[in-house]
Amino acid sequence: MQLVVARVGRAHGIKGEVTVEVRTDEPELRLGPGAVLATDPASAGPLTIETGRVHSGRLLLRFEGVRDRNGAEALRNTLLIAEVDPDDKPEDPDEYYDHQLMDLDVVLEDGTEVGRITEISHLPSQDLFVVERADGTEVLIPFVEEIVVDIDLEKQRAVIDPPPGLIDDRAEIASSRDADNASGDTENSSGDAENTSAGDEA
């Protein structure tokens, strides 16, 4: 399974280094020297990481064959994609790969169905679930412990305890999982960002 682990940012200096927006909680594993990564667009890669270091709180990478600022700038906005065993799980039990969370049903603690996770949005401050409801509207659910109280992968659901106003409790909401099961589920496309974990504060 292919998962996005980083996005290349701007060039740093004149020797081919680039800043990267990390999209994995395991950068030491996925973005270490010697790692070979596929890319999106595919024409930019594959790329082999030669060196990596942290500068002013941001990860800097240099790829084999990229030796100047022009070469680094040419990679800007390229997505870096790692091959991951779909059965792998993060070491921390409170962390999840994005592909584990995609398509989970979202329900309230009393069982009221809210919708289904269609996207994970990784923001600097926290991660968000993009949840599609039966009427086609979307609601954003912060992935923090105070709101997402349980992730049950066996039952394929996320249980939430939202604060007032986060979702429209008056809307008639229904899960579409059964309908999809009847028509045949489709596989997730490659290119998901990787690790997601519940933060401590909203």
Side-chain angles (χ1 to χ4, degrees):
M1 175 179 290
Q2 292 187 321
L3 300 175
V4 172
V5 292
R7 182 181 66 85
V8 177
R10 65 182 61 185
H12 179 83
I14 61 173
K15 296 183 178 180
E17 283 187 313
V18 296
T19 63
V20 293
E21 174 191 314
V22 177
R23 298 188 180 181
T24 171
D25 286 343
E26 300 174 310
E28 300 85 358
L29 174 65
R30 307 298 181 193
L31 299 171
V36 180
L37 302 169
T39 60
D40 181 7
S43 59
L47 294 172
T48 301
I49 297 176
E50 187 173 277
T51 63
R53 65 188 179 98
V54 176
H55 175 73
S56 298
R58 182 174 285 272
L59 179 62
L60 303 179
L61 298 180
R62 180 185 286 118
F63 302 105
E64 290 184 3
V66 180
R67 289 290 177 265
D68 56 31
R69 188 175 184 87
N70 289 339
E73 277 293 344
L75 295 173
R76 192 166 183 173
N77 293 322
T78 296
L79 297 179
L80 303 178
I81 302 170
E83 190 70 36
V84 177
D85 186 331
D87 294 327
D88 279 354
K89 296 181 179 179
E91 294 183 3
D92 189 327
D94 292 326
E95 294 178 353
Y96 302 88
Y97 291 134
D98 281 13
H99 71 270
Q100 295 176 296
L101 301 171
M102 289 290 291
D103 291 333
L104 292 187
D105 288 328
V106 178
V107 301
L108 303 181
E109 290 183 290
D110 63 4
T112 301
E113 295 169 335
V114 176
R116 180 185 295 186
I117 298 172
T118 59
E119 184 181 342
I120 314 294
S121 179
H122 298 274
L123 302 180
S125 59
Q126 65 186 16
D127 297 319
L128 294 174
F129 291 161
V130 180
V131 178
E132 182 177 330
R133 300 189 280 193
D135 62 3
T137 61
E138 291 183 340
V139 61
L140 301 180
I141 306 294
F143 187 22
V144 294
E145 294 176 354
E146 292 83 359
I147 296 175
V148 181
V149 297
D150 185 47
I151 298 290
D152 191 329
L153 296 180
E154 289 189 4
K155 294 183 179 180
Q156 286 290 286
R157 70 178 190 178
V159 181
I160 65 171
D161 181 19
L166 183 63
I167 63 174
D168 183 2
D169 293 329
R170 294 170 299 174
E172 182 175 350
I173 298 167
S175 168
S176 55
R177 176 170 299 280
D178 291 340
D180 277 0
N181 285 341
S183 60
D185 289 334
T186 57
E187 294 183 356
N188 290 341
S189 59
S190 64
D192 291 330
E194 197 176 0
N195 263 11
T196 305
S197 59
D200 292 329
E201 296 181 359

